[in-house]
Amino acid sequence: MTKKSDIERWSDVVQQMNAAELPANTVPLHVLLGEAVDVAKFFEKYWKTQVDAQKRVTRLGLESAVPKDSKKGDAARLGPKTAEEILSLQRATQEAQTRYLLTVEKNKSPRERGKFLLGEIWATLSFYFDDGVEDERDEMLARIDAAHAGDPDTADALASALHDYATLGEKHRDALDGLGGFKAEFLDEARAVAAELRSLPAQAEAISRQAQEALLLRNKLAALLIERMGLVRSAARFVFRSQP
């Protein structure tokens, strides 16, 4: 029997997910995929409760956060295989991202590339500005977010958003470069793509169905990954709540 790929393993779960209900992800994908490995390692190390020779508990494990009836809340979804599930979702998300990028390259559409660049710039800015302090940077990003919240799916609207976010990103170019795999060159490319989009005829092609499906698959898998990682972090905060 042929072993299922990581994407195939989660296909049934993905099909049941509602695209409209996917949570927003403000963490750059490269950062998320790296953190997933760290969370999986942490889980493996701290899953089991440790006891001494007299069977006295020396350190509670994450397993202690699982309710006895295994049906209450998110903690019920933790189990001995959670680390393996996180790594599987990490690989699946990476594979889906690669498929999406290859689809974008295959179609060579400035609209598709523009959507990719916009997502990368927005996610990286959001992550960089999220330092727990509300300041002018947060206000500037919020104003741009509000200005483009109701944008129609047109080339001109995408071009405008690319220009605005790239302009804000340029103010922090050095800090953003390399953050979670972000490339400062994306800012230059975003402005170039914006100009190309504005030169397209009014009936410019919409993003291809193939690219849409590839992007949606990636986003659903990333949402599942974030959810699993959140379970581990939540359990860790609870179990080790008495520790600094």
Side-chain angles (χ1 to χ4, degrees), residues 3-58:
K3 182 180 179 180
K4 288 185 177 181
S5 69
D6 289 297
I7 286 183
E8 291 172 335
R9 172 179 177 177
W10 298 98
S11 61
D12 290 342
V13 179
V14 165
Q15 289 177 7
Q16 297 175 16
M17 298 174 70
N18 187 338
E21 297 177 355
L22 292 180
N25 175 26
T26 61
V27 180
L29 191 63
H30 296 84
V31 175
L32 174 64
L33 297 179
E35 288 183 348
V37 176
D38 295 335
V39 171
K41 290 180 179 178
F42 175 88
F43 182 88
E44 288 282 13
K45 181 177 181 179
Y46 293 103
W47 167 247
K48 297 294 293 183
T49 295
Q50 292 186 350
V51 296
D52 59 19
Q54 286 73 43
K55 303 297 183 181
R56 293 175 299 191
V57 174
T58 58

Side-chain angles (χ1 to χ4, degrees), residues 14 36 130 150 204 239:
V14 165
D130 187 17
V239 172

Side-chain angles (χ1 to χ4, degrees), residues 17-18 21-25 29 32 77 89 93 216-230:
M17 298 174 70
N18 187 338
E21 297 177 355
L22 292 180
N25 175 26
L29 191 63
L32 174 64
R77 299 175 63 180
L89 282 167
T93 302
L216 180 58
L217 173 62
R218 185 206 70 182
N219 290 344
K220 285 183 175 182
L221 288 167
L224 286 174
L225 177 58
I226 292 171
E227 181 183 39
R228 285 295 196 284
M229 292 167 62

Side-chain angles (χ1 to χ4, degrees), residues 18 42 69 83 93 102 197 199 207 223 229:
N18 187 338
F42 175 88
D69 59 12
T93 302
L102 291 176
L197 286 167
S199 69
I207 186 171
M229 292 167 62

Side-chain angles (χ1 to χ4, degrees), residues 47-211:
W47 167 247
K48 297 294 293 183
T49 295
Q50 292 186 350
V51 296
D52 59 19
Q54 286 73 43
K55 303 297 183 181
R56 293 175 299 191
V57 174
T58 58
R59 189 196 70 200
L60 285 173
L62 297 175
E63 62 179 350
S64 66
V66 179
K68 293 181 179 180
D69 59 12
S70 297
K71 294 181 180 179
K72 294 182 179 179
D74 290 340
R77 299 175 63 180
L78 285 176
K81 296 183 179 180
T82 295
E84 190 273 330
E85 291 175 348
I86 288 175
L87 292 177
S88 175
L89 282 167
Q90 189 259 11
R91 293 190 297 267
T93 302
Q94 178 63 76
E95 182 181 347
Q97 168 71 352
T98 301
R99 289 186 185 182
Y100 170 63
L101 293 178
L102 291 176
T103 301
V104 171
E105 177 63 23
K106 178 180 178 181
N107 284 275
K108 296 186 181 298
S109 165
R111 182 189 289 263
E112 292 164 15
R113 184 61 181 174
K115 285 180 177 289
F116 166 76
L117 291 169
L118 183 61
E120 287 293 296
I121 295 171
W122 179 84
T124 306
L125 282 171
S126 298
F127 180 76
Y128 178 58
F129 290 168
D130 187 17
D131 55 4
V133 178
E134 289 292 331
D135 53 22
E136 183 181 359
R137 301 184 309 178
D138 297 288
E139 293 176 1
M140 293 176 66
L141 181 59
R143 285 198 295 270
I144 294 177
D145 285 344
H148 295 286
D151 279 358
D153 186 20
T154 65
D156 285 340
L158 178 57
S160 178
L162 281 169
H163 181 273
D164 289 346
Y165 283 101
T167 299
L168 178 58
E170 188 64 37
K171 297 178 183 295
H172 308 278
R173 185 185 185 97
D174 291 341
L176 298 180
D177 190 30
L179 183 63
F182 183 82
K183 300 177 182 178
E185 291 82 1
F186 284 167
L187 301 172
D188 304 321
E189 186 182 358
R191 287 188 287 269
V193 170
E196 185 178 359
L197 286 167
R198 289 192 173 102
S199 69
L200 293 175
Q203 66 273 23
E205 61 173 331
I207 186 171
S208 72
R209 181 172 298 277
Q210 184 180 11

